[in-house]
């Protein structure tokens, strides 16, 4: 049967609505499994069994009386792929926890197209609510987390989720979140930007693949084009961001990333509105360099930027 959508053979959607997902369990690292990053303990905590909502906690070696900043992490994957246990995201989380001295709580949210947006937003917002008010029963959070220092971190689709979670916080955004970090946030729009036009089809994230992710993840209604508010935060149907109480933001972009120009425009518009936004542009990097090239100079520099942001 012909596939209507084919995401690199990993995910296929057929004309009859059936879905094929390639078994990539060999790329999944279990909690407490040995990783290349020593000194970081991990464990999984179920938040909602029915939804398949769980988090993986990364705890770096720390003295018993030390309280760590907590980073709620939303992984990338175009809303359609991956989990906290996916090798690249797991190793990225473990390394960041160790080098930045932070407890990371990585969220396993529902994936599209089985669960279209806003399912991922709802799951990640629920995880933030749990972290702020319902996590006292979790031993590591109770013993080592600093409740006054909760941050959001998201890469690609996860960066998009960070934006949407902040919107859902309303007036409590600055009360619940000390700061937020968006790594190459996954935004789109009907009008093409220069970085989208210039992007080659062989890129890790091409404009063609980006469009496919949006077709698979946006709500299945007649208004779900790329100017939908979930996709385009600055679009004609999106909420006015001037009234949103954003916490301080750190946004990292890649100079050779298809999402570069949308990220730059997002940051510039927020700055014009008086929001506190620190932008770091890695001119020579493509999409997801921080996870795919974990030990590169750019990835190390990004970790330093994140660490300063957390501990300033």
């Amino acid at each position: 049967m012909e596939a209507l959508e084919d995401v690199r053979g990993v995910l296929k959607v057929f004309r009859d609505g059936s879905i094929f997902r390639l078994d990539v369990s060999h790329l999944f690292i279990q909690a407490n499994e040995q990783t290349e990053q020593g000194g970081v303990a991990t464990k999984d905590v179920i938040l909602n069994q029915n939804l398949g909502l769980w988090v993986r906690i990364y705890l770096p070696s720390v003295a018993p009386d030390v309280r760590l900043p907590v980073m709620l992490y939303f992984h990338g994957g175009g809303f359609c792929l991956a989990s906290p246990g996916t090798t690249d995201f797991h190793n990225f989380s473990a390394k960041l926890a160790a080098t930045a001295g932070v407890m990371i709580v990585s969220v396993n949210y529902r994936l599209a197209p089985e669960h279209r947006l806003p399912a991922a937003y709802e799951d990640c917002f629920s995880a933030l609510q749990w972290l702020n008010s319902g996590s006292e029963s979790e031993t590591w959070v109770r013993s080592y987390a600093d409740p006054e220092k909760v941050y959001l971190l998201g890469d690609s689709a996860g960066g998009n989720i960070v934006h949407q979670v902040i919107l859902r916080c309303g007036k409590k955004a600055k009360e619940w979140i000390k700061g937020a970090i968006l790594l190459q946030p996954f935004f789109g729009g009907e009008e093409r930007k220069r970085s989208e036009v210039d992007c080659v089809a062989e890129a890790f994230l091409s404009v063609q693949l980006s469009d496919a992710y949006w077709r698979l993840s946006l709500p299945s209604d007649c208004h779900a084009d790329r100017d939908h508010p979930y996709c385009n935060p600055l679009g004609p149907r999106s909420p006015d961001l001037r009234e949103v109480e954003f916490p301080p933001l750190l946004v990292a972009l890649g100079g050779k990333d298809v999402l570069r120009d949308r990220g730059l425009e997002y940051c510039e518009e927020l700055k014009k509105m008086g929001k506190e936004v620190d932008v770091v542009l890695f001119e020579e990097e493509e999409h997801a360099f921080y996870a795919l090239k974990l030990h590169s100079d750019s990835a190390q520099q990004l970790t330093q930027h994140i660490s300063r942001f957390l501990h300033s």
Side-chain angles (χ1 to χ4, degrees):
M1 184 184 300
E2 180 185 2
L4 296 179
E5 299 285 356
D6 186 343
V7 181
R8 293 178 170 170
V10 178
L11 174 65
K12 297 181 181 180
V13 179
F14 298 98
R15 192 174 300 278
D16 64 356
S18 61
I19 296 171
F20 164 80
R21 283 185 179 276
L22 184 68
D23 182 5
V24 291
S25 56
H26 62 290
L27 300 176
F28 186 92
I29 297 178
Q30 301 289 340
N32 296 318
E33 193 172 327
Q34 184 65 37
T35 68
E36 61 179 80
Q37 187 64 53
V40 176
T42 62
K43 69 175 174 180
D44 296 340
V45 178
I46 296 174
L47 304 190
N48 188 315
Q49 184 76 54
N50 293 331
L51 296 180
L53 176 59
W54 53 272
V55 297
R56 176 164 294 181
I57 304 178
Y58 295 78
L59 179 65
S61 298
V62 62
D65 58 344
V66 171
R67 290 283 175 172
L68 298 172
V70 185
M71 186 177 291
L72 191 64
Y73 172 47
F74 313 135
H75 65 79
F79 303 107
C80 297
L81 304 173
S83 79
T86 301
T87 303
D88 290 332
F89 295 130
H90 176 86
N91 289 336
F92 169 68
S93 298
K95 186 172 186 295
L96 183 58
T99 55
V102 59
M103 176 187 291
I104 292 181
V105 180
S106 183
V107 183
N108 186 75
Y109 53 84
R110 286 172 290 172
L111 299 177
E114 297 93 329
H115 305 284
R116 290 177 174 268
L117 297 175
Y121 303 150
E122 292 167 351
D123 290 351
C124 292
F125 182 62
S126 293
L128 176 61
Q129 290 177 307
W130 170 81
L131 190 59
N132 275 284
S133 61
S135 60
E136 295 87 354
S137 61
E138 207 301 301
T139 307
W140 287 2
V141 175
R142 184 175 67 248
S143 301
Y144 298 107
D146 185 342
E148 301 299 319
K149 295 182 179 179
V150 174
Y151 295 81
L152 302 184
L153 167 67
D155 72 280
S156 194
N160 176 295
I161 294 173
V162 166
H163 173 80
Q164 290 292 333
V165 167
I166 291 172
L167 296 188
R168 280 163 167 71
C169 288
K171 297 297 183 181
K172 290 186 176 293
K174 291 185 177 180
E175 176 185 336
W176 286 357
I177 308 165
K178 188 173 179 63
I181 303 164
L182 294 80
L183 309 181
Q184 300 176 306
F186 185 43
F187 298 132
E190 286 297 304
E191 181 184 355
R192 296 299 191 195
K193 302 298 181 181
R194 174 54 58 184
S195 61
E196 296 169 338
V197 173
D198 292 345
C199 184
V200 297
E202 295 77 19
F204 180 74
L205 179 64
S206 65
V207 69
Q208 294 84 0
L209 186 57
S210 172
D211 289 351
Y213 283 138
W214 285 119
R215 288 193 298 270
L216 291 170
S217 60
L218 284 171
S220 53
D221 61 51
C222 60
H223 299 294
D225 58 24
R226 292 193 307 274
D227 278 335
H228 190 285
Y230 294 163
C231 181
N232 188 351
L234 304 175
R237 307 195 300 274
S238 298
D240 187 346
L241 300 182
R242 286 173 294 187
E243 301 303 318
V244 178
E245 295 191 8
F246 282 88
L249 302 182
L250 171 64
V251 182
L253 304 170
K256 296 183 178 180
D257 181 21
V258 64
L259 303 176
R260 179 197 65 206
D261 290 352
R262 292 200 180 275
L264 288 172
E265 182 182 41
Y266 175 77
C267 293
E268 288 306 312
E269 289 302 314
L270 290 185
K271 286 181 178 180
K272 290 177 184 177
M273 298 173 190
K275 314 302 182 186
E276 185 178 342
V277 185
D278 184 15
V279 185
V280 184
L281 178 63
F282 295 88
E283 291 282 3
E284 298 303 312
E285 295 300 346
E286 298 183 6
H287 196 69
F289 69 91
Y290 40 83
L292 299 179
K293 299 189 297 181
L294 190 63
H295 301 291
S296 66
D297 288 343
S298 293
Q300 304 284 11
Q301 292 172 29
L302 176 60
T303 299
Q304 293 171 10
H305 281 288
I306 293 174
S307 184
R308 285 194 293 268
F309 183 75
L310 292 175
H311 298 289
S312 62

